[in-house]
Each structure stands twice: as structure tokens, then as C-alpha cells.
Amino acid sequence: MDSSPTGLVTFLFTDIEGSTRLAQDFPDDLQIALDKHHKIIDNAFASNNGFVFDIVGDAFYCAFHNTEDAVRAAVQAQLDITKESWNAAVIKVRMGIHTGHAELMNKNYMGYITLARSARIMSAAYGEQILISSDSYEHLKTKLENTNNALRIITRDGINAQITFRDLGLRRLKDLIQPMQMFQVIADGLHSEFPALKTLDARPNNLPIQLTSFIGREKELAEIKAQLSGTRILTLLGPGGTGKTRLALQAGADVIDEFENGVWIIELASLTEQSLLSQAIADALQIKEQPGLSLEKILIEHVSSKKILLLLDNCEHLIDACSQLSEKLLRNSPNLKIIATSREGLKCQGEVIYKVLSMKHPEPGRKMVPEQLLQYEAVRLFTERALSVNPSFRVSNENASALAQICFQLDGIPLAIELAAVRTKMLTPETIRQKLNDRFKLLTGGKRTALPRQQTLKAMIDWSYDLLSENEKLLWRRLTVFSGRWTLEAAEEICQDELLDQVDILDLMNELTDKSIILYLENEGNFKMLETLRQYGQKN
């Protein structure tokens, strides 16, 4: 190849189906099988002008200048895998092909939506199946119209095989963004019949379409799904703007295959009364009232025999009702599970807390080149959101330091980073960095269609502030005198007066910790406050 693909790129992602199970069942044979698999994939991709830019375990990520080469590479690899002798550990590979915009920057591809869609297409397939998106198929249409809707490939044993495409219809992938029409690649010598695709369409749900891609958080997602497998109710806990809702939605999408009666989100932010909770859940599940029965009883009966996952989003202002109703539903519904998002725990029986922290971001004072900087998910988030409003934006040696400082000063808070990235339409990263001393005026560019508290950084924190008692607000303001970390003893000495005595401070510190305003660092025995919350407290 003369150069690596960039701009409009066709990606081919592959993965071995059930590799974990194979490792357990055939520990002695698997490595030999993997060596054969790698050799087959390498040969098929290289002989069809593919550029393998990453290998993670048994997964290959390859880029092509054109879709035709990607399809032939996939078919050649599948045919060679099918004809290989595998002993006990039989390898079956699932493949996904997708075309979209992605820029090669410092050996990394930027274009997260394209890359994420490629991965999701592949994960919707079964072993031996090749899926191709409508975006890729469109790039083949002219070629297919001139060749009776088929491509040809010469197999390893010299057979001239035909390649056609089966329309699988519009499908919702588990990335939660816009549905996509999918096609299956059909070729002589390959298995062609498979179960229904592993997409959101396979289970009932009301998960909303997202307008932006889900970036980073791989570790958190894995931990949340592991926690959910061992508990009935899991609360994602953290300050506003840390991405709890998006994490819950993505976790729900990822595990939807485990819940035959579906995954349902109940959005609580707009509710003003505790008594409205049952109605909100009933509306989400499309349950109708029945004469002579309370809505709560109808809910319990409805979910009692179902395998279902509820996502209770933004519980903090209805915390008592959420706690009580969750416990009742769980007691009467053995196959029900709940993921709640909140700024404080529900404190109901069986609850497991998962603390959602800020995104990983660079520490100040360390000079990094763009390639190193893009390893941080906060920087990747900023970059992707900046590209959506300013397609010419690039991470460079000139703006790397400012980008690192922005992500650090914003504490890695996803909402704050997204609001800052919008400003790249008119401001350079260095100018944005300089203006962060007045971040509550700068970060106001949220979507008009978002909830009011998600449109500005100040409104996001106002929501938390307004839910506090007057004494909690007072202590928040006083704790802003600490620019770094502090101990309980320091807080008691500095913050006490006739309004707040030592006992008050101990109890209030506990409440502010529970409500995600301050963080307790257990290993060090002290407390800290995110800089954004500290600046807010100083202005109130």
C-alpha cells in the first residue's frame, strides 16, 4: 500500500466468537488454533490491500481504501477459516464492515462514530457471519449494477466464487445512535443461515436514540455489567455531568440479550412529586390502570413473572419514593433488576453503589505529544465533539498543552468538556483555557433540546445546589477555602462558628459526601472537591 487510508475509510473488524469459552474448554489446543487464525487473517487482509492498524487479543481492526477490497478480504478469510482443520478448538469468526469518515492522526484513527459503528456491526453478527452497513453497500452499488448484483473472488483452491448481499432491513445497533440498514454478505462455500441479529430490535425496549457517540468508559462499563450480574439493584452515583445517564443507557443496551422482557428507562428529571413515580414507570412499560387496583399493585403484578431491567434515571429529587418502590418491586419480582442513577444512594435493601468518577484526563505539568494525549478519554471526548462543530479541528503539538489544561481544569467532567468543545467553532483551545477562570459564563452552549439543567454548566450544578438544606449549602461555601485536600479536623476548626458547631460539621460533611458534592479519599483519610464545584461554591 502506498499510504494508510484516511478521510473516507472502509473498516473491517473481526472477532472470534466465544473465545473465552474456547480458552476454558481447550486450553492446550487454543494457542495453535489462534496462530492459524492470525496467519489466515493477516494473509487475507494483506492480499486485499488492507491496513491492520490494531490487534486486541483475537480481534483484528483493518482499514481499506475501498469497500470492494474489504468485502473480498472478509470472504477470503472466512473461506480459509472454514476449510482449515482445527482439531478440538474450532474457530468461528464474526465480521463487520462499515464505511465512514475517519482521520489518521498520529497512528490513531479519529472518527469515533465510524469506529464505534464498525465495532457494533461486528458484535451484532454470529461466528462465520459477515455483516455490512448500508453506508458500505452504497459504495458498491455502481459496481454491482454492472455485474448482475454480485462480486467475484478466486478462492485459495482456484474456484471462482460469487459474492452477493442479503438485505436484513433497518436495525438498531447497541450504540444507541441512529438505526442503520444492514446487509449480510453471502458467498459460495460459506454458511448463510443465522439467528436474528444481536441488535436492540431483538428485545422490547424504549431506549432512546442518541445524537452523539459513546466515548471511552470501557473499564466502567465492564465493571458495571459485572456488578449487575451479582446484584438486583445497582446505583450509579456521582456529581452532575459525569455521564451517569449515558453509562446506564449503554450498560442497558449491552446486556439487553439477558432480559427477554426488555430494558426500560424511566426518566424522572421532570417529575415534581414523589407520588408520580408509579405513574412514570407504568407509562414507560405501557401499563394501563385497572378499576379497584392501585397503580403500585398493578406494577408489582406486571413485573412479578418477567425478566426485565428498569433504568431509573435521576432519582435524587425523588429519593424516598425511588427507594421504597424499588424495594417493593424487587421483593415481588425475582427476575427484575434495576439500575438507578442518582447523586445520592437510595439506601434500600440490597443496593450496591457504583461511583461514577470523572473521565481520565492528563495531569498538569507533563508535556505530551498528541499521540500520548489522545490516550486520555477526556481528550478524545473533547476532540470528537470539537470535530462535530469544526471539521478542521486537529490535535497538534501547538494546542496539546492547552487541551491537557482544559480537561484537567474541568475535572474530566463529560458535560463540561462537551460544552467547552463547542466553543472551538470560534475560539482556539488556548483561548478557551484562558477563559476557564469564568467557566460558568463560557460554558453555556448546550443543545436547546436538552433538559435546561444540561444546557449550561451552572444550571447543571444549580440542580444539585437547590436540593440541599441551607446548612449544607453554607458548609459547601465554607469548604471552598480549601484549594486542595483537607481533613475532617481541618474542616471542623476552620468552618465552625455560632451557626455550625463541630457536631453539625461532621454530620453535614457526611451528607455532602453522600450527595456527591465532596469526595472522601478513603485510602488517604481526607476530602477533596472538584474544582468546578469549588468555583461554584465561591460564587454562591
Side-chain angles (χ1 to χ4, degrees):
M1 294 178 62
D2 295 331
S3 61
S4 303
T6 191
L8 188 65
V9 181
T10 295
F11 291 100
L12 168 54
F13 284 13
T14 77
D15 179 47
I16 294 177
E17 183 179 55
S19 55
T20 302
R21 177 181 50 78
L22 288 173
Q24 295 170 347
D25 294 345
F26 308 103
D28 298 327
D29 295 330
L30 184 59
Q31 190 54 56
I32 296 173
L34 287 176
D35 291 342
K36 289 182 179 180
H37 161 267
H38 280 45
K39 186 176 180 180
I40 289 170
I41 296 290
D42 273 334
N43 178 65
F45 290 3
S47 61
N48 287 281
N49 306 312
F51 166 62
V52 177
F53 61 92
D54 201 7
I55 301 174
V56 180
D58 55 58
F60 275 68
Y61 305 123
C62 190
F64 293 81
H65 287 280
N66 65 74
T67 305
E68 189 175 343
D69 282 345
V71 171
R72 286 201 171 96
V75 171
Q76 180 183 329
Q78 290 286 29
L79 287 170
D80 290 347
I81 289 168
T82 301
K83 294 172 182 175
E84 186 63 58
S85 57
W86 293 104
N87 295 326
V90 178
I91 296 293
K92 294 184 178 182
V93 178
R94 51 186 182 169
M95 299 184 177
I97 297 172
H98 178 51
T99 302
H101 288 279
E103 299 292 336
L104 191 62
M105 298 170 59
N106 305 299
K107 299 181 181 180
N108 290 302
Y109 275 106
M110 295 304 298
Y112 205 89
I113 289 181
T114 298
L115 293 168
R117 296 239 96 172
S118 303
R120 288 295 179 184
I121 291 165
M122 180 268 292
S123 64
Y126 292 87
E128 301 183 304
Q129 189 175 30
I130 306 169
L131 297 180
I132 179 171
S133 72
S134 56
D135 291 318
S136 290
Y137 184 77
E138 285 296 316
H139 289 275
L140 290 173
K141 284 185 75 171
T142 301
K143 174 77 174 180
L144 292 173
E145 288 169 357
N146 297 325
T147 56
N148 295 319
N149 293 317
L151 300 177
R152 312 296 302 189
I153 183 171
I154 305 298
T155 66
R156 186 172 57 177
D157 44 12
I159 297 173
N160 189 346
Q162 178 175 266
I163 304 171
T164 58
F165 302 86
R166 178 182 296 166
D167 189 346
L168 300 179
L170 201 64
R171 300 301 179 107
R172 283 198 68 195
L173 299 173
K174 293 179 183 178
D175 56 12
L176 296 174
I177 52 181
Q178 289 290 341
M180 172 177 284
Q181 190 171 9
M182 303 288 294
F183 296 82
Q184 180 182 320
V185 178
I186 307 294
D188 299 334
L190 292 184
H191 187 59
S192 61
E193 300 302 322
F194 298 93
L197 295 185
K198 292 180 278 189
T199 58
L200 290 179
D201 316 89
R203 300 288 190 199
N205 70 89
N206 69 338
L207 300 179
I209 291 171
Q210 300 297 297
L211 301 180
T212 56
S213 57
F214 183 84
I215 294 177
R217 300 292 203 181
E218 290 87 359
K219 177 175 178 287
E220 288 88 343
L221 264 179
E223 291 174 345
I224 287 168
K225 289 185 284 187
Q227 291 270 27
L228 187 64
S229 67
T231 189
R232 302 280 311 285
I233 178 166
L234 178 67
T235 299
L236 307 189
L237 189 71
T242 51
K244 301 182 294 296
T245 297
R246 196 63 186 272
L247 264 174
L249 284 169
Q250 193 58 60
D254 284 355
V255 301
I256 195 169
D257 294 335
E258 301 172 21
F259 297 91
E260 61 187 63
N261 300 112
V263 176
W264 306 89
I265 183 168
I266 297 90
E267 297 171 331
L268 306 177
S270 61
L271 299 189
T272 57
E273 300 291 338
Q274 306 262 351
S275 59
L276 298 175
L277 178 61
S278 293
Q279 185 65 60
I281 298 176
D283 289 344
L285 297 176
Q286 299 179 342
I287 300 172
K288 295 181 180 179
E289 295 187 44
Q290 300 175 28
L293 291 177
S294 69
L295 198 51
E296 186 176 291
K297 184 173 180 58
I298 295 171
L299 276 177
I300 290 172
E301 289 183 356
H302 178 82
V303 301
S304 62
S305 60
K306 290 182 169 59
K307 197 166 188 179
I308 196 168
L309 174 64
L310 298 182
L311 309 179
L312 300 181
D313 186 39
N314 291 301
C315 297
E316 53 271 354
H317 63 304
L318 305 173
I319 202 72
D320 291 335
C322 288
S323 177
Q324 293 167 16
L325 185 55
S326 294
E327 193 167 310
K328 287 179 183 177
L329 292 173
L330 291 167
R331 281 179 175 172
N332 291 279
S333 311
N335 293 315
L336 169 70
K337 291 196 175 188
I338 295 174
I339 296 178
T341 73
S342 182
R343 302 187 193 190
E344 64 175 304
L346 273 60
K347 298 181 181 177
C348 62
Q349 188 171 357
E351 179 187 32
V352 172
I353 296 291
Y354 183 87
K355 292 186 177 180
V356 179
L357 304 177
S358 300
M359 281 185 150
K360 294 177 183 176
H361 54 81
E363 295 296 322
R366 182 185 171 194
K367 187 174 182 180
M368 284 181 285
V369 297
E371 185 176 359
Q372 294 173 308
L373 201 60
L374 287 167
Q375 301 303 311
Y376 291 93
E377 55 189 10
V379 177
R380 295 206 306 272
L381 176 64
F382 185 98
T383 303
E384 290 293 335
R385 298 301 186 254
L387 283 168
S388 69
V389 297
N390 179 7
S392 64
F393 180 83
R394 295 291 183 273
V395 181
S396 64
N397 289 323
E398 290 70 29
N399 64 23
S401 176
L403 276 177
Q405 282 290 331
I406 290 168
C407 293
F408 173 75
Q409 289 185 40
L410 293 177
D411 307 299
I413 298 172
L415 178 60
I417 290 170
E418 290 185 338
L419 292 173
V422 170
R423 293 300 187 184
T424 58
K425 187 158 49 174
M426 296 185 63
L427 303 176
T428 66
E430 178 58 31
T431 304
I432 293 172
R433 184 197 67 77
Q434 294 171 2
K435 289 179 175 293
L436 286 182
N437 288 333
D438 198 3
R439 63 190 65 190
F440 297 110
K441 286 187 177 179
L442 175 69
L443 304 183
T444 59
K447 303 291 184 184
R448 291 190 181 93
T449 53
L451 290 170
R453 61 187 175 83
Q454 295 174 340
Q455 293 181 16
T456 72
L457 184 63
K458 181 177 183 300
M460 176 192 75
I461 306 175
D462 284 343
W463 173 263
S464 292
Y465 188 77
D466 292 341
L467 292 173
L468 300 180
S469 69
E470 291 305 315
N471 279 349
E472 287 168 345
K473 294 175 183 177
L474 177 59
L475 183 58
W476 180 351
R477 293 194 294 268
R478 292 183 179 183
L479 289 172
T480 62
V481 300
F482 297 105
S483 59
R485 300 175 182 183
W486 71 88
T487 63
L488 173 62
E489 291 74 21
E492 289 176 335
E493 180 178 346
I494 292 174
C495 298
Q496 68 170 317
D497 63 5
E498 65 278 2
L499 296 177
L500 299 177
D501 61 28
Q502 281 195 3
V503 175
D504 292 329
I505 291 172
L506 173 61
D507 291 339
L508 291 170
M509 288 272 285
N510 184 62
E511 288 296 319
L512 291 177
T513 302
D514 285 347
K515 295 174 181 177
S516 305
I517 304 302
I518 59 177
L519 302 173
Y520 177 60
L521 308 175
E522 190 171 348
N523 292 336
E524 302 173 30
N526 54 30
F527 298 83
K528 66 175 287 190
M529 186 183 298
L530 296 179
E531 179 61 22
T532 297
L533 297 180
R534 178 172 173 267
Q535 288 194 23
Y536 180 94
Q538 289 176 332
K539 294 177 182 295
N540 286 273

